[in-house]
Amino acid sequence: MNSKFLKLSALALGLIVSSETFAQDSVATALPVPPVFSPSTSFSTWSFGVNAGVLAPTLIYGKNDFTSWKADIGYGAYIKKQIWPAFGIQANFLGGKLKADNSRELGNGSAPASPYSSHETSVKYSGSINAYLSLANIYWMNRTNVIQPYVTAGYGLMGYDVDLTSSAGTTRFNPETINESFIPVGAGLKFGLSNNIMLDLGYQMNFVDGDNLDGYHSGPQNDKFSYTHIGLEFALGGKTKPQLSTYNPVAAMEADYIARNAALQSDLAAERAKNAQQLAQVTTDWARFKTDSDGDGVSDYFDKCPNTPAGKQVDGAGCEIKVTTVNPVKVVVTEEDRRIVAEAIKNLEFDFAKSTIRPSSYPSLNRVADLLKSKDFSLKLAGHTDNVGSNAANLKLSKDRAESVKSYLVSQGANPSRIEATGYGESQPISSNKTAAGRQNNRRVEFTLY
């Protein structure tokens, strides 16, 4: 008996050491949890296990036809398909020997009344299909299932040979293998050692459909035997997927809710910061609306000529109006001046449906600005469009384009008080809007120099 337990202890120690060796590369890093409602392809659903342990005629539950059971080494293996996080189907194999004798006296101190003193049963094969139920995935308060309690039950077939020793010391050998069905019921604990390896500690009671497991029929009850084991389970499908058996759907829903709530809080904080920035800008603009630093009657927000000397007459843009009262100079527009303006009109281009001037138009506009500065001309800008789009949109676009040209000329040093920008929309076509060429002609900004 002692030698058997020494062997079992050495085997258990070997399984634990080997499991730690396999787990070295993956214990430190946990795989990401797939999101809620992920398909089964996101998980490892197949696994296989190997185990070894104590095989006995009965342990923990009930009695058999012999009074004293003897522990022996059993061994097993299985392959499992996880259907849902808490449920799977498992195919089991079990082998080993079962031994018992009548060395223990009955409760009244008398020897058992049996023609046999001992038996040895060799389990040649034992295969069963079991339902596997993981309790950790049902207990919703657990976020992770590092320790996984489980129960199993199923149905199987087994074949065994029985050798009986009579009370007189003679042994009867049964040359034929006995085949019986049996019902395995078990429970156990699994411990996650890594992303794809689990330590399995379990107990299984097997109820045989017959009273011939020990070769002797002595009562109305059927025989049974137990298997207490330690083993390892290995997930198939690579190391990049978590096991479906360790997945907790409720914890995944909670994690998804927390992530969504954090994202919403982040978006809300960003929106609040944006609103605060806009409010600060509005406050700054409002202060400029109310402030007239140079006292010329035009608020700083609209004042294009700040720091105008006190007492000077200004226009609506806050720029000083220069009045010539002595020897006024007559302004003469020459053909060269008109050519410069015509060239600017010809080269003027905007981005499609926008008031943004394209850089290719800058050189000719620069020459117009130089002309306005050198000869003190006045300029009227009239924006026009074709009839594509609504009247209101065309009127706004024509006005914005004329204002865009004015802003550019002012940026080049032209006097804003001498430039007038007006938009007429589609109201003054110079060609038919029924053709592409006609519409192109109608999309224009006219320059009138005076």
Side-chain angles (χ1 to χ4, degrees):
M1 175 70 74
N2 291 335
S3 64
K4 299 293 186 183
F5 281 105
L6 286 175
K7 292 178 181 178
L8 288 172
S9 300
L11 180 62
L13 180 60
L15 284 171
I16 294 174
V17 171
S18 63
S19 68
E20 292 296 329
T21 302
F22 281 117
Q24 289 301 316
D25 61 344
S26 54
V27 171
T29 56
L31 293 175
V33 179
V36 182
F37 307 120
S38 295
S40 60
T41 54
S42 301
F43 303 88
S44 294
T45 58
W46 285 96
S47 61
F48 75 92
V50 292
N51 50 63
V54 177
L55 198 64
T58 184
L59 177 63
I60 299 178
Y61 174 83
K63 297 179 180 179
N64 279 336
D65 300 323
F66 288 81
T67 60
S68 178
W69 56 266
K70 308 296 180 182
D72 210 314
I73 295 177
Y75 49 89
Y78 62 85
I79 185 166
K80 184 179 68 172
K81 169 65 175 177
Q82 200 71 27
I83 309 298
W84 302 309
F87 178 77
I89 300 295
Q90 184 170 300
N92 283 21
F93 168 80
L94 178 63
K97 290 185 178 182
L98 297 167
K99 297 178 182 180
D101 59 29
N102 283 320
S103 60
R104 182 180 299 172
E105 296 179 345
L106 298 177
N108 56 10
S110 61
S114 172
Y116 301 104
S117 62
S118 65
H119 82 92
E120 179 177 305
T121 300
S122 297
V123 179
K124 298 300 184 181
Y125 71 89
S126 170
S128 64
I129 300 296
N130 291 9
Y132 175 91
L133 186 63
S134 170
L135 303 180
N137 302 76
I138 300 175
Y139 184 50
W140 287 4
M141 294 183 68
N142 284 347
R143 293 189 178 186
T144 57
N145 301 326
V146 177
I147 301 177
Q148 186 180 115
Y150 67 88
V151 294
T152 62
Y155 180 82
L157 297 174
M158 63 184 300
Y160 49 89
D161 296 340
V162 183
D163 296 333
L164 282 172
T165 300
S166 68
S167 299
T170 60
T171 301
R172 178 173 66 85
F173 298 98
N174 188 347
E176 297 183 358
T177 298
I178 302 173
N179 299 295
E180 291 285 2
S181 61
F182 72 103
I183 296 176
V185 178
L189 291 173
K190 290 183 179 178
F191 301 85
L193 301 179
S194 71
N195 293 327
N196 60 346
I197 301 177
M198 301 188 79
L199 178 66
D200 182 14
L201 303 178
Y203 171 80
Q204 180 175 295
M205 179 61 70
N206 302 277
F207 299 89
V208 182
D209 187 21
D211 191 18
N212 53 13
L213 182 64
D214 53 16
Y216 175 54
H217 178 72
S218 65
Q221 68 177 5
N222 291 341
D223 290 331
K224 50 197 164 294
F225 67 98
S226 65
Y227 179 50
T228 305
H229 69 268
I230 180 172
L232 295 174
E233 180 178 311
F234 302 89
L236 301 176
K239 299 180 180 180
T240 60
K241 295 181 180 180
Q243 294 188 59
L244 182 58
S245 62
T246 63
Y247 181 65
N248 190 326
V250 177
M253 292 184 68
E254 180 191 32
D256 180 72
Y257 168 78
I258 293 174
R260 289 174 181 266
N261 184 63
L264 182 61
Q265 292 292 339
S266 178
D267 293 342
L268 183 59
E271 188 67 24
R272 286 174 177 172
K274 180 180 177 181
N275 291 341
Q277 184 179 7
Q278 292 177 343
L279 180 60
Q281 184 62 43
V282 169
T283 303
T284 301
D285 291 344
W286 180 245
R288 292 176 61 199
F289 274 122
K290 296 190 299 180
T291 304
D292 180 12
S293 301
D294 55 8
D296 59 0
V298 179
S299 72
D300 289 352
Y301 189 83
F302 297 103
D303 199 339
K304 292 182 171 55
C305 299
N307 303 319
T308 303
K312 297 294 182 179
Q313 188 176 1
V314 298
D315 58 16
C319 297
E320 181 183 355
I321 299 176
K322 297 180 180 179
V323 180
T324 304
T325 58
V326 180
N327 299 324
V329 178
K330 184 178 181 181
V331 176
V332 178
V333 180
T334 66
E335 288 301 322
E336 178 62 18
D337 298 335
R338 292 191 179 91
R339 186 192 66 78
I340 293 174
V341 171
E343 184 180 358
I345 296 174
K346 180 180 178 181
N347 295 333
L348 183 59
E349 293 183 350
F350 297 91
D351 287 346
F352 179 74
K354 296 181 180 179
S355 61
T356 305
I357 302 173
R358 293 182 176 175
S360 60
S361 304
Y362 293 165
S364 56
L365 289 177
N366 291 343
R367 288 190 287 272
V368 174
D370 293 340
L371 185 63
L372 294 177
K373 291 187 291 182
S374 63
K375 293 194 174 183
D376 206 23
F377 284 147
S378 295
L379 180 66
K380 180 177 180 180
L381 300 170
H384 302 272
T385 67
D386 56 25
N387 67 344
V388 178
S390 65
N391 292 336
N394 287 334
L395 184 62
K396 182 178 183 304
L397 180 60
S398 64
K399 173 66 173 176
D400 290 345
R401 286 182 169 179
E403 288 288 351
S404 181
V405 174
K406 177 181 177 179
S407 297
Y408 182 80
L409 294 174
V410 171
S411 71
Q412 300 302 309
N415 188 345
S417 64
R418 289 189 172 276
I419 304 175
E420 177 186 356
T422 308
Y424 294 97
E426 60 185 70
S427 63
Q428 297 181 13
I430 60 175
S431 299
S432 173
N433 280 313
K434 295 183 179 180
T435 65
R439 290 191 294 273
Q440 177 65 36
N441 291 336
N442 291 334
R443 297 191 294 268
R444 68 197 188 280
V445 175
E446 295 178 343
F447 292 53
T448 303
L449 197 63
Y450 60 95

